[in-house]
Amino acid sequence: MHPFEEWAKTIAHPCVQKWSELLVELGASWQSFDRDQKDVVNDLVKGGIPLLAARDITATASETIARSRAPLAIFWDLENMPIPTATTGRLVASRLKDILSQHGNLIQFRGSIGSGQIPEQKRSDLHLSGCHLVDCPHNGRQEVADKMITVDAMQFACEHQDGATLCFITSDNGYAYLLA
């Protein structure tokens, strides 16, 4: 998760942005909001933030914390969104995990690829970075990887019915109905 000060100043939430400087002055951090919401609101009011603003800020920060703890799965369609030629699998996987870390606790990271479509070095990079590669042999059939990704995503969602974040990395609009 991003540092609290950065989040408070950049979130597209007018109330948090308005009071971000005072929040930082008061020494607010993610830990400040990881306790009973009434206590947090009272502390913010004592620090000079109006009651309604304090409630709004507390609710927004608490939602952000909860979202960052939700199970996260990444489903990467390497057939449609391959690793750029000029970079390594390790660099791309690391950057993806960094960007997505604020959206949940990474539980599953899958890359789906047709047999033989990715060089060995990039395969190795992805494995070492925690990406489970799913080979999708086509044998003359179409949309094999798409169907496997869809089933894996539905299974993950069913296993985490209390809420989860699913990230799809693809250029294929065939997932639109699943995500609607």
Side-chain angles (χ1 to χ4, degrees):
M1 190 160 27
H2 292 289
F4 179 80
E5 183 175 348
E6 178 185 334
W7 172 83
K9 291 181 178 179
T10 60
I11 187 171
H13 191 283
C15 186
V16 176
Q17 282 186 342
K18 179 178 179 175
W19 297 100
S20 64
E21 287 184 30
L22 183 55
L23 287 166
V24 172
E25 270 181 46
L26 293 171
S29 67
W30 290 118
Q31 290 77 23
S32 306
F33 294 92
D34 198 13
R35 55 198 180 97
D36 183 67
Q37 288 193 2
K38 288 180 183 180
D39 293 340
V40 176
V41 169
N42 289 335
D43 287 348
L44 293 178
V45 169
K46 287 176 189 174
I49 297 175
L51 178 62
L52 291 178
R55 286 180 180 162
D56 200 18
I57 292 166
T58 301
T60 304
S62 296
E63 288 169 13
T64 301
I65 291 168
R67 188 172 46 249
S68 74
R69 292 179 179 160
L72 166 68
I74 301 171
F75 300 99
W76 187 358
D77 184 350
L78 284 157
E79 291 181 351
N80 289 313
M81 294 295 294
I83 299 167
T85 308
T87 190
T88 66
R90 187 174 298 165
L91 178 67
V92 175
S94 174
R95 187 71 181 122
L96 284 171
K97 291 193 291 188
D98 182 50
I99 290 168
L100 295 170
S101 66
Q102 64 185 320
H103 299 287
N105 180 26
L106 184 59
I107 303 294
Q108 192 175 101
F109 185 7
R110 293 176 164 276
S112 298
I113 189 74
S115 298
Q117 292 184 338
I118 187 169
E120 278 303 310
Q121 183 58 50
K122 290 192 180 189
R123 288 181 71 87
S124 178
D125 284 351
L126 290 172
H127 274 292
L128 291 171
S129 300
C131 180
H132 174 77
L133 291 176
V134 180
D135 285 316
C136 305
H138 289 265
N139 295 331
R141 296 173 288 156
Q142 293 183 346
E143 300 180 347
V144 174
D146 299 349
K147 291 173 183 170
M148 291 176 79
I149 290 170
T150 299
V151 170
D152 289 344
M154 290 174 62
Q155 180 181 3
F156 187 83
C158 286
E159 289 172 355
H160 299 92
Q161 292 184 17
D162 290 336
T165 302
L166 283 73
C167 172
F168 291 80
I169 302 169
T170 184
S171 62
D172 188 339
N173 64 4
Y175 299 103
Y177 186 70
L178 173 67
L179 300 173

